[in-house]
Amino acid sequence: MEIGLPDQHGRCQIIEIHTTTMRENGKLDSDVDVSVLSTLTKNFSGAEIEGLVRAAQSIAMNRLIKATSTVELAEDAPEKLRICQSDFIHALDDVKPAFGSSKEEFEKYVANGIINWGAPVMRVLEDGDLLVSQVKSSHKTPLVTVLVEGPPGSGKTALAAKIAQNSDFPFVKVCSPENMIGFHEAAKCQAIKKIFDDAYKSPLSCIIVDDIERLLDYKSPPSGRKLLVIGTTSRKDVLQEMEMLSVFSTIIHVSNISLGEHLMSVLESLEVFGDKELNTLAKKTSGKRLWMGVKKLLVMVEMARQMEDSHRILNSYAC
Ligand SMILES: Nc1ncnc2c1ncn2[C@@H]1O[C@H](COP(=O)(O)OP(=O)(O)OP(=O)(O)O)[C@@H](O)[C@H]1O
């Protein structure tokens, strides 16, 4: 029999249980807010919450250690000991749930932020938010699958990661071939299976399968669990040939930058070029058809940043 992870109400109760003795002995500071802690411990199991309380306790104890040649507690430590909200917040840096989302991992995929350069970007994020609401509220669609497709470097992974971050689902993971370099086929299958099995333990999950044509196979979540799978691909044609497009409920297209005004929107937001340079670039690109992925554009702008002012505008335009 599998016991699921506690919901917010359950987490409140578990925190209350593990802090009862401290509270009764006057060791729990009045600033400790159990309901805030329960929102910060999404996807923690009961044992992990207990570990968090113990970690907060030892952080509070560490404040009372005397810095002499030996490690000893101050004489008045028992009276002074108070476990505060900040001790729990610090403990959250160390105690992480086994099932959950890694903030650091997601930041890596949106390393350069999301520049809102025009309607195509807004549309992708809005469509993504709609799908997230569908997964949250609909009882009829426990599994929603979406393919985010577009040219190489158009920003598919970053936009998929942004949709997943915005979802605020307790379990959010990226399944990427980049994290499986050197794995033999069986190990790859094991790693993918583990991500999906972990997701099925959480009531609401989102998995990004990056470059999905290189990894694929999933089943429906068990009853009571809901899952959003966001696949990304630059090779929609390959998926079409393999008759795999029908696996997805929806397809969201990510565009390259194709208009001068969208290009200018990116350049202005990066604050690399001065007004004069921007004006020159705006004149040269106005009304022209362009075709460039945001990923490549950001690399070029970084190169331009390293150049002398007089060279960089010429160089940027030439690219
Ligand atoms: N509007 C935007 N949309 C997407 N990415 C953006 C945007 N603005 C800035 N970026 C940045 O551009 C980069 C896009 O790279 P990303 O890897 O997501 O592209 P990709 O299409 O998945 O690439 P590949 O085809 O190589 O898989 C990221 O570093 C992201 O932070």
Side-chain angles (χ1 to χ4, degrees), residues 27-29 31-32 55-67 72-74 76-77 80-91:
K27 299 297 165 207
L28 198 67
D29 201 275
D31 77 343
V32 173
Q57 220 171 2
S58 79
I59 290 170
M61 294 270 277
N62 280 344
R63 268 200 304 275
L64 303 169
I65 287 176
K66 274 207 295 194
E72 51 185 288
L73 276 177
D76 55 353
K80 271 195 171 167
L81 180 66
R82 285 280 175 290
I83 297 119
C84 319
Q85 182 82 348
S86 60
D87 296 324
F88 283 95
I89 306 292
H90 285 152

Side-chain angles (χ1 to χ4, degrees), residues 2 6 11 28 45 53-54 60 92 96 103 123 156 168 182 203 221 254 288 294 308 315:
E2 189 192 310
R11 294 195 298 273
L28 198 67
S45 64
V53 174
R54 300 287 156 251
L92 279 167
K96 300 278 181 210
K103 204 167 157 242
R123 220 172 298 129
K156 302 170 297 291
D168 210 23
V254 176
K288 295 242 166 74
V294 66
E308 303 258 327
N315 202 67

Side-chain angles (χ1 to χ4, degrees), residues 6 43 96 117 170 180 222 232 255 267 272:
N43 271 24
K96 300 278 181 210
W117 49 261
M180 298 181 197
T232 76
S255 312
L267 296 182
V272 171

Side-chain angles (χ1 to χ4, degrees), residues 162-183:
K162 189 72 191 162
I163 294 169
Q165 265 182 333
N166 289 350
S167 74
D168 210 23
F169 285 2
F171 182 97
V172 184
K173 274 264 150 69
V174 181
C175 177
S176 166
E178 275 178 27
N179 301 337
M180 298 181 197
I181 292 170
F183 283 25

